[in-house]
Amino acid sequence: MWQYLMPTKIFFSQRVVEKNKEIFKNFGAKALVVTGRTSSRINGSLSDIENALKSMGIEFYVYDRIEENPTFEQIRQAVEECKTQSFDFVIGVGGGSPLDSAKAIAVLLRNRSLRVEDLYDSNKYSSALPIVAIPTTSGTGSEVTQYSVLTDDTGFKRGFGHDSIFPVIALIDPVYTVSMTVSLTRSTGLDALCHAVEGFLSKKATPISDLYAVESMKLIKENLPKALENPNDLEARTAMSFASCLAGMVISQTSTTLAHVLGYPLSTFKGIRHGDATAAFLDAVVHGAESEIPQKVQKVKEIFGDIKRFIESAGLKIELQLSDEELETWVKRALTAKHMQWTRGVFDELSIRKLYERMRID
Ligand SMILES: [Fe+2]
């Protein structure tokens, strides 16, 4: 048995915001734009949105204080500041952090009595303000998922999923990704790679998600090296935006698995970018699935050869100092993480500890 729901309407083209500005009128008279401090100004997305809203006569307020790995506290502050105004819809623009924050804020502005913690209890709400997602990186896939990942008050990343936070519209313009640095291109590209591979090998994979996953993996194999080599290669950037969107649709069906679970603390406690942190464990996901689904693992190998080598050739090398206490806490946390249940293979305390230890330096 399998099912499929991905209700987001996708618009994909160069100058996509300008070309489709009429759609904003469908959502009402006032928009909250959620973004980070700088990147949406550098890549031109924010001014495109402001111009589109102005020309449609839509009032808007820009909340631009979303940081990487957004915390509960940052979401509380955003809601506190924005709840004095009345918004009809929320536009998230940027990488995964602004998009995931926009989703959380959209729920909390619609359901005023909820606290951030309540986002994790799906019975406590049934709707959010309509969300328009405009990604400016190619990796998160958040523009087509029902997930949002925030960092809780203890410093750990926690994701929540709810059908009400599927964006109503995703506006994808690959030109916004051209100004990404090489390291951000790598990290976000590797995030998309993890979504495609983890989703393909997940216990929740479906015939539809597999179609998207295979296409996404092929596009990433072909185009991530090109985008890293030549940041202005618009064809490669366009392929990566598409691959990222496909991989987002994959995890909307399959969830993420082991690599995401193990990567989270590297980002919140060691400052390693999400995609890099996650990709450091992707080879373990592939090896873990080998005895259960050898044909699918073979498909991954057909596309990438040795996936660890492909990831390293993108320039990833993670070495970190890790105390015994940190190691124990992370291992324990991983063992109880919800998404471990969708991971194929046997991952116990010892094997998870080994995966963290191989990147450890004294
Ligand atoms: Fe991810």
Side-chain angles (χ1 to χ4, degrees):
M1 202 282 280
W2 57 272
Q3 50 180 303
Y4 180 75
L5 174 73
M6 206 304 283
T8 305
K9 184 167 183 176
I10 300 166
F11 295 76
F12 190 113
S13 97
Q14 292 180 30
R15 294 177 41 241
V16 73
V17 173
E18 187 192 330
K19 284 180 189 166
N20 297 285
K21 58 189 175 185
E22 287 80 15
I23 58 159
F24 291 117
K25 280 199 295 197
N26 300 335
F27 297 106
K30 188 161 179 184
L32 170 63
V33 181
V34 176
T35 189
R37 273 192 198 283
T38 49
S39 64
S40 59
R41 292 193 166 85
I42 292 168
N43 60 41
S45 55
L46 186 58
S47 60
D48 286 351
I49 294 160
E50 289 173 338
N51 290 338
L53 294 173
K54 276 179 204 160
S55 71
M56 289 293 109
I58 296 168
E59 256 187 85
F60 60 92
Y61 177 73
V62 178
Y63 185 86
D64 67 356
R65 270 177 282 139
I66 303 300
E67 289 168 26
E68 205 168 325
N69 305 314
T71 61
F72 278 18
E73 195 47 40
Q74 285 163 24
I75 299 298
R76 287 185 196 110
Q77 282 171 16
V79 171
E80 197 55 36
E81 182 173 323
C82 298
K83 75 180 183 190
T84 55
Q85 304 179 57
S86 174
F87 295 104
D88 297 307
F89 64 111
V90 178
I91 302 172
V93 55
S97 299
L99 298 192
D100 286 3
S101 300
K103 291 172 173 178
I105 292 166
V107 176
L108 296 171
L109 288 180
R110 167 59 66 84
N111 304 274
R112 296 293 176 105
S113 62
L114 291 189
R115 301 164 308 147
V116 183
E117 292 82 348
D118 296 328
L119 294 170
Y120 295 79
D121 183 348
S122 58
N123 298 318
K124 287 194 170 165
Y125 57 101
S126 58
S127 62
L129 290 180
I131 299 159
V132 177
I134 305 177
T136 62
T137 65
S138 47
T140 158
S142 184
E143 70 274 14
V144 289
T145 75
Q146 71 282 46
Y147 304 126
S148 167
V149 181
L150 305 173
T151 302
D152 71 17
D153 293 325
T154 66
F156 279 94
K157 281 201 181 204
R158 285 172 63 196
F160 68 95
H162 199 282
D163 285 352
S164 67
I165 59 168
F166 265 118
V168 180
I169 302 276
L171 296 168
I172 305 172
D173 183 345
V175 174
Y176 294 145
T177 69
V178 169
S179 60
M180 282 195 292
T181 60
V182 170
S183 66
L184 190 58
T185 300
R186 182 192 64 226
S187 170
T188 53
L190 291 178
D191 190 22
L193 169 69
C194 290
H195 296 160
V197 176
E198 285 175 71
F200 187 58
L201 303 178
S202 162
K203 286 182 184 170
K204 285 172 81 182
T206 74
I208 288 187
S209 69
D210 283 351
L211 286 175
Y212 295 164
V214 169
E215 184 61 18
S216 179
M217 288 189 282
K218 287 179 181 168
L219 287 168
I220 293 167
K221 167 70 168 66
E222 185 68 24
N223 292 283
L224 180 57
K226 289 182 186 168
L228 289 168
E229 179 81 18
N230 177 10
N232 295 316
D233 182 341
L234 195 54
E235 212 174 300
R237 294 292 195 183
T238 302
M240 284 305 297
S241 288
F242 181 38
S244 167
C245 177
L246 284 173
M249 290 195 272
V250 171
I251 57 165
S252 74
Q253 311 302 308
T254 66
S255 305
T256 54
T257 64
L258 176 94
H260 271 69
V261 169
L262 297 193
Y264 284 153
L266 267 61
S267 298
T268 48
F269 297 114
K270 301 291 176 184
I272 295 168
R273 280 199 169 118
H274 169 65
D276 291 344
T278 304
F281 303 100
L282 193 61
D283 60 313
V285 173
V286 177
H287 292 314
E290 200 142 28
S291 61
E292 285 182 42
I293 42 169
Q295 282 158 338
K296 289 184 103 174
V297 169
Q298 191 50 39
K299 185 76 197 170
V300 175
K301 287 182 178 170
E302 247 172 57
I303 296 170
F304 292 103
D306 180 350
I307 198 140
K308 192 161 186 265
R309 210 165 291 164
F310 176 76
I311 289 166
E312 283 168 0
S313 71
L316 183 69
K317 185 173 172 62
I318 295 180
E319 289 181 328
L320 44 92
Q321 285 178 325
L322 193 56
S323 72
D324 291 341
E325 201 190 336
E326 281 174 319
L327 185 62
E328 289 318 307
T329 312
W330 295 6
V331 170
K332 278 207 186 82
R333 185 92 190 182
L335 285 167
T336 58
K338 197 170 122 206
H339 287 198
M340 289 300 285
Q341 67 180 308
W342 312 120
T343 307
R344 293 195 185 267
V346 180
F347 291 95
D348 57 11
E349 203 173 325
L350 187 68
S351 55
I352 290 173
R353 186 178 294 115
K354 272 189 184 159
L355 289 172
Y356 279 128
E357 273 175 345
R358 65 183 189 173
M359 57 185 60
R360 196 177 190 186
I361 48 164
D362 292 325

Coordinates of all heavy atoms in Angstrom, one line a residue, residues 139-140 191-192 194-195 251 256 260 264 274-275 278, ligand 1:
G139 N 18.8 22.9 -2.3 CA 19.2 21.8 -1.4 C 18.1 21.4 -0.5 O 17.7 20.3 -0.3
T140 N 17.5 22.4 0.2 CA 16.6 22.1 1.3 C 15.3 21.4 0.8 O 14.8 20.5 1.5 CB 16.2 23.4 2.0 OG1 15.0 23.3 2.7 CG2 16.0 24.6 1.0
D191 N 22.9 18.4 0.6 CA 21.7 18.2 1.3 C 20.6 17.5 0.4 O 20.0 16.5 0.7 CB 21.2 19.5 1.8 CG 20.0 19.4 2.8 OD1 19.8 18.3 3.4 OD2 19.3 20.4 3.0
A192 N 20.6 18.1 -0.8 CA 19.6 17.5 -1.8 C 20.0 16.0 -2.1 O 19.1 15.2 -2.2 CB 19.7 18.3 -3.1
C194 N 21.4 13.9 -0.1 CA 21.0 13.1 1.0 C 19.5 12.9 1.0 O 19.0 11.8 1.3 CB 21.4 13.8 2.4 SG 23.2 13.8 2.6
H195 N 18.7 13.9 0.7 CA 17.3 13.7 0.6 C 16.9 12.7 -0.4 O 16.1 11.8 -0.2 CB 16.6 15.0 0.2 CG 16.8 16.1 1.2 ND1 16.6 17.5 1.0 CD2 17.1 16.0 2.6 CE1 16.8 18.1 2.1 NE2 17.1 17.3 3.0
I251 N 11.4 13.4 0.0 CA 11.3 13.3 1.5 C 9.9 13.7 2.0 O 9.5 13.3 3.1 CB 12.4 14.1 2.3 CG1 12.4 15.5 1.9 CG2 13.7 13.4 2.1 CD1 13.2 16.4 2.9
T256 N 13.3 11.8 6.2 CA 14.8 11.6 6.1 C 15.1 10.4 7.0 O 14.2 10.0 7.8 CB 15.5 12.8 6.5 OG1 15.1 13.3 7.8 CG2 15.3 14.0 5.5
H260 N 20.5 12.3 8.4 CA 20.0 13.6 8.9 C 20.0 13.5 10.5 O 20.4 14.5 11.1 CB 18.6 13.9 8.4 CG 18.5 14.7 7.2 ND1 19.0 14.2 6.0 CD2 18.2 16.0 6.9 CE1 18.9 15.1 5.0 NE2 18.4 16.2 5.6
Y264 N 22.5 16.4 12.6 CA 21.9 17.5 13.3 C 22.8 18.1 14.4 O 23.0 19.3 14.4 CB 20.5 17.2 13.9 CG 19.4 17.2 12.8 CD1 18.3 16.4 13.0 CD2 19.5 17.9 11.7 CE1 17.2 16.4 12.1 CE2 18.4 17.9 10.7 CZ 17.3 17.2 11.0 OH 16.3 17.1 10.0
H274 N 24.4 22.3 7.4 CA 23.5 21.1 7.5 C 23.8 20.0 6.4 O 23.9 18.9 6.7 CB 22.0 21.6 7.3 CG 21.0 20.5 7.0 ND1 20.8 19.5 7.9 CD2 20.3 20.3 5.9 CE1 19.9 18.7 7.4 NE2 19.6 19.1 6.2
G275 N 24.0 20.5 5.2 CA 24.2 19.5 4.1 C 25.5 18.8 4.3 O 25.6 17.5 4.0
T278 N 25.3 16.3 7.2 CA 24.4 15.1 6.9 C 25.2 14.2 5.9 O 25.2 13.0 6.1 CB 23.1 15.6 6.2 OG1 22.5 16.5 7.2 CG2 22.2 14.5 6.0
Ligands
FE1 FE 18.2 18.2 4.8

